[in-house]
Amino acid sequence: MYTAADLRKGLKIAIDNEPYIITHFDFAKPGKGQALYRTKLKNMITGSTLDRTYRSGETFEPAQLEDRKMQYLYKEDDHYCFMDNTTYEQIHISEGAMGDAKNYLIDNLPVDVLLFREKAIGVEVPNFVNLRVVQTDPWVKGDTSGSDSKPATVETGYVLRVPPFIEEGELITIDTRTGEYSTRVKG
Protein backbone atom coordinates (compact mmCIF):
# COMPACT_ATOMS: atom_id res chain seq x y z
CA MET A 1 0.00 0.00 0.00
CA TYR A 2 1.10 3.54 -0.76
CA THR A 3 0.43 6.52 1.51
CA ALA A 4 -0.18 10.11 0.36
CA ALA A 5 3.48 10.87 1.17
CA ASP A 6 4.53 8.31 -1.51
CA LEU A 7 2.68 10.14 -4.30
CA ARG A 8 4.91 11.40 -7.13
CA LYS A 9 4.78 11.91 -10.89
CA GLY A 10 4.82 8.59 -12.77
CA LEU A 11 3.48 6.49 -9.85
CA LYS A 12 0.86 3.93 -10.92
CA ILE A 13 -2.03 3.38 -8.50
CA ALA A 14 -5.44 1.65 -8.63
CA ILE A 15 -8.59 3.74 -8.10
CA ASP A 16 -12.00 2.04 -8.31
CA ASN A 17 -10.27 -1.11 -9.66
CA GLU A 18 -8.74 0.75 -12.63
CA PRO A 19 -5.06 1.64 -13.18
CA TYR A 20 -4.10 5.34 -13.10
CA ILE A 21 -0.77 7.07 -13.56
CA ILE A 22 0.03 10.36 -11.81
CA THR A 23 0.81 12.95 -14.51
CA HIS A 24 1.10 16.02 -12.23
CA PHE A 25 1.76 16.32 -8.52
CA ASP A 26 1.70 19.30 -6.16
CA PHE A 27 2.24 19.40 -2.37
CA ALA A 28 0.64 22.14 -0.25
CA LYS A 29 0.97 22.67 3.52
CA PRO A 30 -1.57 25.23 4.71
CA GLY A 31 -0.88 27.25 7.87
CA LYS A 32 -2.93 24.89 9.99
CA GLY A 33 -4.45 21.50 9.29
CA GLN A 34 -3.24 18.56 7.28
CA ALA A 35 -0.98 18.67 4.26
CA LEU A 36 -2.71 18.48 0.88
CA TYR A 37 -1.53 16.52 -2.16
CA ARG A 38 -3.05 17.77 -5.44
CA THR A 39 -2.74 15.33 -8.33
CA LYS A 40 -3.72 14.90 -11.96
CA LEU A 41 -4.34 11.25 -12.77
CA LYS A 42 -4.68 9.60 -16.18
CA ASN A 43 -6.66 6.37 -16.61
CA MET A 44 -4.31 3.90 -18.31
CA ILE A 45 -7.21 2.08 -20.03
CA THR A 46 -9.54 4.87 -21.22
CA GLY A 47 -7.10 7.82 -21.26
CA SER A 48 -9.47 10.05 -19.27
CA THR A 49 -7.98 12.40 -16.66
CA LEU A 50 -8.99 13.25 -13.10
CA ASP A 51 -8.03 16.06 -10.72
CA ARG A 52 -7.95 14.79 -7.14
CA THR A 53 -6.77 16.24 -3.83
CA TYR A 54 -5.68 13.92 -1.03
CA ARG A 55 -4.87 14.54 2.63
CA SER A 56 -1.83 13.14 4.39
CA GLY A 57 -2.52 9.72 5.85
CA GLU A 58 -4.70 8.45 2.98
CA THR A 59 -3.64 5.12 1.47
CA PHE A 60 -3.64 3.79 -2.09
CA GLU A 61 -3.45 0.37 -3.65
CA PRO A 62 -0.63 -0.11 -6.18
CA ALA A 63 -1.86 -0.92 -9.71
CA GLN A 64 -1.25 -4.62 -10.41
CA LEU A 65 0.64 -4.10 -13.67
CA GLU A 66 2.86 -6.61 -15.42
CA ASP A 67 5.22 -6.17 -18.38
CA ARG A 68 5.55 -9.21 -20.64
CA LYS A 69 7.97 -9.77 -23.50
CA MET A 70 5.93 -10.66 -26.56
CA GLN A 71 6.27 -10.85 -30.31
CA TYR A 72 3.95 -9.24 -32.86
CA LEU A 73 2.39 -11.82 -35.19
CA TYR A 74 -0.36 -10.28 -37.36
CA LYS A 75 -3.33 -7.92 -37.62
CA GLU A 76 -6.85 -9.34 -37.89
CA ASP A 77 -9.68 -6.83 -38.55
CA ASP A 78 -9.26 -4.20 -35.79
CA HIS A 79 -7.21 -6.42 -33.45
CA TYR A 80 -3.50 -7.13 -33.26
CA CYS A 81 -2.21 -10.60 -32.31
CA PHE A 82 0.84 -11.06 -30.07
CA MET A 83 2.56 -14.20 -28.76
CA ASP A 84 4.13 -14.57 -25.32
CA ASN A 85 7.80 -15.54 -25.81
CA THR A 86 7.87 -17.97 -22.87
CA THR A 87 4.43 -19.65 -22.84
CA TYR A 88 3.61 -19.25 -26.59
CA GLU A 89 0.14 -18.06 -25.51
CA GLN A 90 -1.47 -15.66 -28.01
CA ILE A 91 -3.40 -12.54 -27.04
CA HIS A 92 -5.39 -10.05 -29.12
CA ILE A 93 -5.25 -6.31 -28.44
CA SER A 94 -7.77 -3.84 -29.85
CA GLU A 95 -6.59 -1.05 -32.14
CA GLY A 96 -7.72 1.54 -29.58
CA ALA A 97 -5.37 0.14 -26.90
CA MET A 98 -2.42 0.15 -29.30
CA GLY A 99 -1.91 3.92 -29.45
CA ASP A 100 0.93 5.05 -31.74
CA ALA A 101 2.64 1.64 -31.48
CA LYS A 102 0.52 0.38 -34.40
CA ASN A 103 2.48 2.67 -36.76
CA TYR A 104 5.69 0.69 -36.23
CA LEU A 105 4.57 -2.96 -36.05
CA ILE A 106 6.18 -5.39 -38.48
CA ASP A 107 6.02 -9.18 -38.33
CA ASN A 108 7.99 -10.79 -35.46
CA LEU A 109 8.85 -7.43 -33.83
CA PRO A 110 9.68 -7.93 -30.11
CA VAL A 111 7.52 -5.68 -27.88
CA ASP A 112 6.62 -5.19 -24.20
CA VAL A 113 2.91 -5.66 -23.51
CA LEU A 114 1.53 -3.97 -20.37
CA LEU A 115 -1.06 -6.09 -18.58
CA PHE A 116 -3.51 -5.08 -15.84
CA ARG A 117 -5.09 -8.09 -14.13
CA GLU A 118 -4.19 -10.29 -17.12
CA LYS A 119 -5.82 -7.83 -19.57
CA ALA A 120 -3.59 -6.09 -22.13
CA ILE A 121 -3.83 -2.29 -21.85
CA GLY A 122 -0.82 -1.10 -23.83
CA VAL A 123 2.13 -1.96 -26.05
CA GLU A 124 5.63 -0.52 -25.94
CA VAL A 125 7.74 -0.93 -29.08
CA PRO A 126 11.55 -0.61 -29.21
CA ASN A 127 12.87 2.99 -29.30
CA PHE A 128 14.10 2.53 -32.90
CA VAL A 129 12.61 0.38 -35.68
CA ASN A 130 13.75 -0.20 -39.26
CA LEU A 131 10.96 0.16 -41.85
CA ARG A 132 11.01 0.09 -45.65
CA VAL A 133 9.82 3.15 -47.62
CA VAL A 134 7.05 2.06 -50.01
CA GLN A 135 6.09 5.44 -51.46
CA THR A 136 7.81 8.81 -51.76
CA ASP A 137 8.30 11.45 -54.44
CA PRO A 138 11.55 11.23 -56.43
CA TRP A 139 14.23 13.80 -55.71
CA VAL A 140 14.85 16.20 -58.57
CA LYS A 141 18.54 17.11 -58.70
CA GLY A 142 18.95 20.86 -58.45
CA ASP A 143 15.62 21.34 -56.68
CA THR A 144 16.58 23.98 -54.14
CA SER A 145 13.12 25.25 -53.30
CA GLY A 146 14.13 25.38 -49.64
CA SER A 147 12.25 22.23 -48.69
CA ASP A 148 14.61 20.01 -46.73
CA SER A 149 12.16 17.12 -46.30
CA LYS A 150 9.40 15.29 -48.14
CA PRO A 151 6.59 12.95 -47.11
CA ALA A 152 7.20 9.19 -47.27
CA THR A 153 4.96 6.22 -46.56
CA VAL A 154 6.53 3.17 -44.90
CA GLU A 155 5.42 -0.48 -45.10
CA THR A 156 3.03 -0.13 -42.13
CA GLY A 157 1.14 2.74 -43.79
CA TYR A 158 2.66 5.37 -41.48
CA VAL A 159 3.51 8.69 -43.18
CA LEU A 160 6.47 10.79 -41.99
CA ARG A 161 8.87 13.44 -43.30
CA VAL A 162 12.24 12.26 -44.63
CA PRO A 163 15.27 13.97 -46.25
CA PRO A 164 15.04 14.43 -50.04
CA PHE A 165 17.71 11.78 -50.82
CA ILE A 166 15.56 8.91 -49.46
CA GLU A 167 14.08 6.79 -52.26
CA GLU A 168 11.40 4.11 -52.51
CA GLY A 169 12.57 0.67 -51.35
CA GLU A 170 15.15 2.02 -48.90
CA LEU A 171 15.25 0.89 -45.27
CA ILE A 172 15.13 3.75 -42.75
CA THR A 173 15.33 3.91 -38.95
CA ILE A 174 12.46 5.67 -37.16
CA ASP A 175 12.55 6.93 -33.55
CA THR A 176 9.28 5.54 -32.13
CA ARG A 177 9.27 8.04 -29.24
CA THR A 178 8.89 11.00 -31.62
CA GLY A 179 7.72 9.28 -34.84
CA GLU A 180 10.48 11.00 -36.78
CA TYR A 181 13.11 9.83 -39.28
CA SER A 182 16.40 8.98 -37.58
CA THR A 183 18.80 7.61 -40.21
CA ARG A 184 19.11 5.56 -43.39
CA VAL A 185 20.05 1.90 -42.82
CA LYS A 186 23.36 1.06 -44.50
CA GLY A 187 23.86 -2.21 -46.30
Side-chain angles (χ1 to χ4, degrees):
M1 293 293 267
Y2 294 121
T3 65
D6 296 323
L7 295 179
R8 65 187 179 284
K9 187 175 177 177
L11 185 70
K12 297 172 180 107
I13 59 175
I15 299 173
D16 300 329
N17 289 324
E18 297 217 339
Y20 284 83
I21 185 166
I22 297 175
T23 57
H24 181 76
F25 171 78
D26 190 32
F27 172 76
K29 175 78 170 103
K32 55 184 176 180
Q34 290 182 312
L36 299 174
Y37 299 87
R38 291 187 188 92
T39 61
K40 280 188 197 265
L41 303 151
K42 181 178 177 186
N43 186 310
M44 296 175 73
I45 297 173
T46 64
S48 62
T49 58
L50 296 172
D51 286 330
R52 290 265 173 101
T53 302
Y54 299 103
R55 298 190 181 282
S56 59
E58 290 189 53
T59 59
F60 309 93
E61 180 185 331
Q64 302 298 319
L65 298 171
E66 178 188 358
D67 260 335
R68 266 202 218 151
K69 300 273 186 218
M70 294 197 172
Q71 185 177 36
Y72 172 66
L73 297 178
Y74 58 89
K75 180 181 180 191
E76 183 178 17
D77 298 325
D78 63 341
H79 285 78
Y80 293 81
C81 184
F82 295 86
M83 178 183 69
D84 190 311
N85 291 343
T86 53
T87 65
Y88 303 109
E89 169 191 354
Q90 291 185 12
I91 63 165
H92 294 271
I93 302 176
S94 70
E95 194 164 345
M98 291 294 297
D100 289 339
K102 67 179 177 268
N103 296 329
Y104 315 109
L105 290 178
I106 54 173
D107 292 348
N108 303 320
L109 182 73
V111 297
D112 288 331
V113 175
L114 186 64
L115 301 164
F116 177 69
R117 298 194 175 135
E118 296 300 315
K119 182 181 183 287
I121 61 170
V123 174
E124 191 173 306
V125 294
N127 289 341
F128 295 95
V129 293
N130 296 335
L131 297 173
R132 192 160 306 280
V133 176
V134 294
Q135 195 281 317
T136 189
D137 296 329
W139 182 29
V140 179
K141 192 170 176 110
D143 180 9
T144 56
S145 63
S147 165
D148 61 348
S149 66
K150 62 182 181 178
T153 306
V154 292
E155 58 192 298
T156 62
Y158 180 61
V159 178
L160 71 155
R161 309 246 358 130
V162 298
F165 56 81
I166 298 295
E167 298 174 5
E168 283 184 20
E170 286 193 83
L171 208 55
I172 61 172
T173 301
I174 299 173
D175 185 338
T176 60
R177 297 166 294 190
T178 62
E180 295 175 357
Y181 166 86
S182 177
T183 185
R184 178 167 43 178
V185 177
K186 306 271 191 278

